[in-house]
């Protein structure tokens, strides 16, 4: 009974108090609204127990979420809720789960250095399809020009308001050479860039932790960048294949 009451309390908090991100860490601009969560059933939102949107995340198992380490490094597990099955965070649908454990990649120090990845274990088992995590050998996912999809509830333009409605955008993978020219901190084994030379389409504040999906795989995790959708400044993502063990 106590477990049920705690779950109901958490659900009511999120239904009543979810607010779009205002000052979230860096890392959808130029994208479009996702009206049906069935289009991305593995997409989840990380929200504080007070109802503040923190970051995005991806279900990679029924009770396991992948996100960015910088999103959760300063939180305790008991302070975070995972919201699944909901494209519009203001709607009373889907499942709200408490978090039992946060596991940061042991090499993580800052997003710019790399290893910006974390796992969240949830009390609830989400009944939604999960997104496949690629193996280390699937390096073709990062072929320059390959188009990926980034999703999130972040700001719709730099320094603009957040969004309670899930959005998505298509962005092409950028070569290591181009990304290194854009960012001196770029580490090919740790990062991958995606975006257009002219800018205009990108992840933004509040989208951190969400997925970069390529060929039905979790190829990247929204990590960092300079501004949002600026020319010559593509978004930088955690290169997932560098942090799996198979």
């Amino acid at each position: 009974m106590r477990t049920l009451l705690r779950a109901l309390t958490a659900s009511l908090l999120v239904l009543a108090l979810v607010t779009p991100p205002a000052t979230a860490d860096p890392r959808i601009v130029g994208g479009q609204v996702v009206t049906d969560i069935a289009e991305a059933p593995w997409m989840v939102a990380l929200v504080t127990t007070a109802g503040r949107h923190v970051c995005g995340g991806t279900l990679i198992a029924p009770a396991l979420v992948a996100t960015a380490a910088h999103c959760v490094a300063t939180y305790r597990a008991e302070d975070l809720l995972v919201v699944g099955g909901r494209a519009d965070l203001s709607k009373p649908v889907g499942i709200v789960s408490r978090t039992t454990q946060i596991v940061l990649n042991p090499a993580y120090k800052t997003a710019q250095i790399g290893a910006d990845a974390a796992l969240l274990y949830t009390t609830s088992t989400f009944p939604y399809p999960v997104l496949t995590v690629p193996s280390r050998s699937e390096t073709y996912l990062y072929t320059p020009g390959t188009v990926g999809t980034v999703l999130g509830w972040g700001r719709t333009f730099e320094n603009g308001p957040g969004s309670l409605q899930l959005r998505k955008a298509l962005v092409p993978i950028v070569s290591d050479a181009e990304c290194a020219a854009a960012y001196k901190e770029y580490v090919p084994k740790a990062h991958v860039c995606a975006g257009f030379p002219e800018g205009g389409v990108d992840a933004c504040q509040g989208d951190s932790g969400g997925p970069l999906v390529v060929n039905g795989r979790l190829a990247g995790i929204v990590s960092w960048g300079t501004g949002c959708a600026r020319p010559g400044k593509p978004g930088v993502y955690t290169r997932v294949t560098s942090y799996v063990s198979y």
Side-chain angles (χ1 to χ4, degrees):
M1 178 63 72
R2 290 180 180 177
T3 301
L4 177 59
L5 287 173
R6 285 197 298 267
L8 288 173
T9 300
S11 297
L12 289 172
L13 272 171
V14 172
L15 290 176
L17 299 176
V18 168
T19 56
T23 57
D25 287 332
R27 355 237 69 92
I28 282 263
V29 179
Q32 59 186 5
V33 169
V34 176
T35 57
D36 188 350
I37 195 60
E39 187 176 338
W42 26 257
M43 186 73 197
V44 298
L46 309 185
V47 179
T48 68
T49 52
R52 185 179 70 86
H53 175 84
V54 176
C55 279
T58 307
L59 282 172
I60 58 173
L64 184 61
V65 173
T67 189
H70 81 261
C71 286
V72 296
T74 60
Y75 286 95
R76 301 176 303 169
E78 56 265 36
D79 295 330
L80 287 177
L81 303 174
V82 176
V83 182
R86 189 182 301 183
D88 185 335
L89 293 179
S90 69
K91 302 297 183 183
V93 296
I95 293 173
V96 179
S97 175
R98 289 195 176 272
T99 302
T100 61
Q101 186 180 9
I102 297 172
V103 180
L104 303 181
N105 187 293
Y108 171 74
K109 293 181 179 179
T110 69
Q112 286 79 7
I113 291 174
D116 190 15
L119 297 175
L120 275 63
Y121 291 83
T122 61
T123 56
S124 298
T125 299
F126 289 90
Y128 312 125
V130 301
L131 189 61
T132 300
V133 176
S135 67
R136 295 181 70 89
S137 64
E138 293 183 82
T139 55
Y140 70 90
L141 297 171
Y142 309 110
T143 302
T146 301
V147 176
T149 303
V150 59
L151 303 98
W153 287 276
R155 299 183 182 188
T156 55
F157 57 91
E158 188 172 334
N159 298 320
S163 173
L164 288 175
Q165 183 68 51
L166 180 63
R167 302 178 70 88
K168 67 176 182 179
L170 300 179
V171 286
I173 299 295
V174 174
S175 71
D176 289 338
E178 290 177 277
C179 201
Y183 298 108
K184 64 179 181 181
E185 306 95 335
Y186 181 73
V187 180
K189 288 186 177 180
H191 306 134
V192 61
C193 285
F196 295 92
E198 67 274 19
V201 182
D202 195 7
C204 200
Q205 288 90 353
D207 292 320
S208 287
L212 174 66
V213 184
V214 179
N215 197 35
R217 302 284 194 271
L218 179 61
I221 297 172
V222 181
S223 184
W224 59 282
T226 296
C228 304
R230 294 185 186 182
K233 293 293 182 181
V236 186
Y237 301 79
T238 301
R239 188 180 292 247
V240 172
T241 56
S242 294
Y243 301 101
V244 294
S245 59
Y246 55 90

